[in-house]
Amino acid sequence: MDLNMDSNSASLRFIVVTVLIGVLMVPLLLVSYVVSEREGFRNQAIDGISRSWGGAQRITGPLFVIPFERRVDDTPTVQHVTLTPRELDVRIDSRHEMRQRAIYSTPVFHLDVTATGAFDPLDLDALEKRFGTARLEQAEVVVGLSDSRGLRRAAFDWDGRAIPMEAGDGPALHGLVRADAAEGASFTLSLGLRATRRISAVPVGDRSSLEIVSSWPHPSFVGRFLPDHHDIGEAGFSASWTTHKLARGFPSISADGPLPMQAPLGVPALGDLDVGFGAFEPVNLYKSVERSLKYGVLFIALTLVSILCLELLTGLRFHFVQYGVVGISLVLFFVTLLALAEHVGFALGYAVAATVLTSMIAGYAHASTNKVRLSAITAATLAGLYGVLYVLLRLESFALLVGAAILLLVLGVVMAATRKLTPEALDDG
């Protein structure tokens, strides 16, 4: 459209473009539903792998559990008292491999867990005054696991004696210790486990230390405390924690376990007091596509407004149907991106989808106008917009700042393109 385009015609075209942008939000919303559905398929596949392999693993213990009997109105009542070790040193060696189901893959972990420590001698007089008569012949050591399906081996050594471990009613291992356990003892626990998603341990000792060494290079540290020291590299990571009983969040002696997963007196559950890491995946293509869709409105608006400005600056006219075709093409970019990213990764999928759609729209502009210069300008504009969108997706802390700067720049271009649309003032005469 030439600069002699009257203001009414320009206003109409701006209104139509605005309505078209609103209409195109409907297919964008449908694309977002497709992204959610595909991510749901991925989560189902990962859940299937976890069910077969073993889910998140949280290791609690070992803990020392003693039944105490008290007679109330000649009726015997028994409660289990749980004691934490004086010292607890845990080391978890983790190596990962990738398991795949359909087109989806996730890391799974092999764990070698070693825990050493010691229990203090029991103050039986104080305990029996508080809880009743101790049944030391039924004393046992208990180790909690969040998912026993992943257990491959377990060995427990109590003061130099191997203690057979048995499965309990819940996800825990139990082992009877000898009646003279009141003297206290050192212990060694060895476990072989499988896990997915999250690996952690509860620092149950009065003084606890945890060291994790893993081949997974993208840890997300989770739990009550961040590690005191960590080292992350391409070959994996190592991290260590040290905690004291005053900071761990539960007492050294608690009643009615055997595993005090719900600690008394309103203390948070032990499951909320662990430390460890989650298997963070640095590139979640569904989250990246979802983020790109959030910029979809802006991207479509900028593209169509840019074409409208080209009309104002070059004097060409495009049919409203051609605007609609370009708009649908922009929506199809996100569908193409999702389809490609599932197979070749987000970055390569983005590059291929952007190249294909830019070439198609530029070719469409050339076929509609027969002007090479216009198609080149269209291709350059789209390439710039796709480049800006990619930069915004890669930026996190500065995405809003960069996005605001780009919008201000575009506003300046629109102002320049529309500055002469105001009718000239009438002559005084």
Side-chain angles (χ1 to χ4, degrees):
M1 181 183 296
D2 191 59
L3 289 181
N4 62 5
M5 175 192 290
D6 58 76
S7 60
N8 289 334
S9 176
S11 299
L12 175 62
R13 300 179 87 77
F14 268 106
I15 292 172
V16 171
V17 168
T18 302
V19 171
L20 180 60
I21 292 171
V23 170
L24 289 173
M25 295 307 99
V26 176
L28 265 186
L29 182 61
L30 295 176
V31 174
S32 69
Y33 288 152
V34 173
V35 174
S36 298
E37 182 182 45
R38 300 297 294 182
E39 186 174 18
F41 292 155
R42 173 186 178 272
N43 292 337
Q44 289 176 10
I46 293 176
D47 288 342
I49 294 173
S50 298
R51 284 193 298 270
S52 302
W53 183 267
Q57 287 291 4
R58 181 182 61 246
I59 303 156
T60 306
L63 298 167
F64 190 25
V65 181
I66 307 172
F68 281 80
E69 180 180 331
R70 185 188 298 276
R71 302 189 73 85
V72 178
D73 296 332
D74 292 330
T75 301
T77 60
V78 177
Q79 62 180 162
H80 293 83
V81 175
T82 303
L83 298 93
T84 61
R86 180 187 70 245
E87 305 278 344
L88 178 63
D89 299 299
V90 180
R91 178 184 170 93
I92 300 176
D93 290 295
S94 162
R95 65 186 188 280
H96 79 279
E97 63 178 272
M98 300 301 295
R99 286 296 176 100
Q100 188 164 341
R101 180 164 294 183
I103 63 172
Y104 309 106
S105 62
T106 188
V108 298
F109 295 87
H110 301 267
L111 309 180
D112 291 313
V113 181
T114 303
T116 60
F119 288 94
D120 277 330
L122 299 181
D123 187 348
L124 273 180
D125 291 337
L127 288 173
E128 290 187 333
K129 185 180 297 184
R130 180 177 175 184
F131 299 109
T133 303
R135 294 181 176 179
L136 287 181
E137 71 281 359
Q138 298 177 17
E140 61 180 359
V141 64
V142 180
V143 178
L145 301 174
S146 57
D147 191 345
S148 57
R149 294 172 303 175
L151 182 63
R152 289 297 174 267
R153 58 177 175 79
F156 190 82
D157 183 276
W158 175 271
D159 202 19
R161 184 167 65 96
I163 301 296
M165 302 299 288
E166 301 290 341
D169 295 333
L173 300 176
H174 300 252
L176 288 174
V177 296
R178 56 194 178 191
D180 60 351
E183 301 301 320
S186 59
F187 60 82
T188 300
L189 170 68
S190 178
L191 298 173
L193 297 170
R194 288 178 173 179
T196 56
R197 297 182 176 174
R198 176 178 168 133
I199 297 162
S200 63
V202 180
V204 298
D206 292 346
R207 184 208 61 81
S208 300
S209 69
L210 170 65
E211 181 181 8
I212 299 179
V213 178
S214 178
S215 62
W216 181 249
H218 310 293
S220 174
F221 297 114
V222 295
R224 184 174 176 86
F225 308 103
L226 290 175
D228 301 321
H229 308 283
H230 67 274
D231 183 21
I232 302 174
E234 293 183 359
F237 78 93
S238 61
S240 60
W241 294 257
T242 302
T243 59
H244 187 269
K245 66 178 181 179
L246 297 179
R248 69 188 174 190
F250 52 91
S252 298
I253 302 174
S254 58
D256 268 349
L259 268 181
M261 298 309 292
Q262 295 291 337
L265 303 178
V267 177
L270 290 189
D272 299 327
L273 303 176
D274 59 347
V275 295
F277 76 97
F280 172 71
E281 296 185 55
V283 180
N284 185 324
L285 66 92
Y286 297 102
K287 297 300 181 186
S288 297
V289 175
E290 184 180 347
R291 283 194 67 204
S292 70
L293 281 168
K294 292 178 180 179
Y295 293 103
V297 180
L298 175 64
F299 182 74
I300 291 174
L302 290 178
T303 303
L304 296 182
V305 170
S306 297
I307 294 174
L308 186 55
C309 290
L310 282 176
E311 284 195 14
L312 299 176
L313 294 173
T314 62
L316 293 170
R317 283 181 179 271
F318 296 108
H319 195 279
F320 293 136
V321 172
Q322 293 172 319
Y323 276 97
V325 171
V326 172
I328 292 298
S329 301
L330 297 174
V331 173
L332 287 177
F333 161 76
F334 298 100
V335 178
T336 307
L337 169 60
L338 174 61
L340 290 172
E342 286 189 327
H343 296 276
V344 300
F346 181 80
L348 182 56
Y350 189 98
V352 173
T355 301
V356 170
L357 269 299
T358 298
S359 301
M360 291 181 68
I361 295 174
Y364 183 62
H366 180 265
S368 301
T369 63
N370 234 359
K371 294 185 179 295
V372 176
R373 184 169 175 234
L374 178 64
S375 62
I377 293 174
T378 302
T381 302
L382 285 171
L385 289 174
Y386 280 122
V388 166
L389 177 60
Y390 188 80
V391 170
L392 288 176
L393 293 175
R394 283 294 173 257
L395 292 174
E396 293 185 3
S397 301
F398 299 98
L400 180 60
L401 178 62
V402 174
I406 293 169
L407 286 176
L408 290 175
L409 177 61
V410 172
L411 177 61
V413 173
V414 174
M415 286 180 173
T418 59
R419 69 188 185 279
K420 294 186 178 180
L421 292 179
T422 304
E424 295 181 357
L426 295 175
D427 293 333
D428 293 338

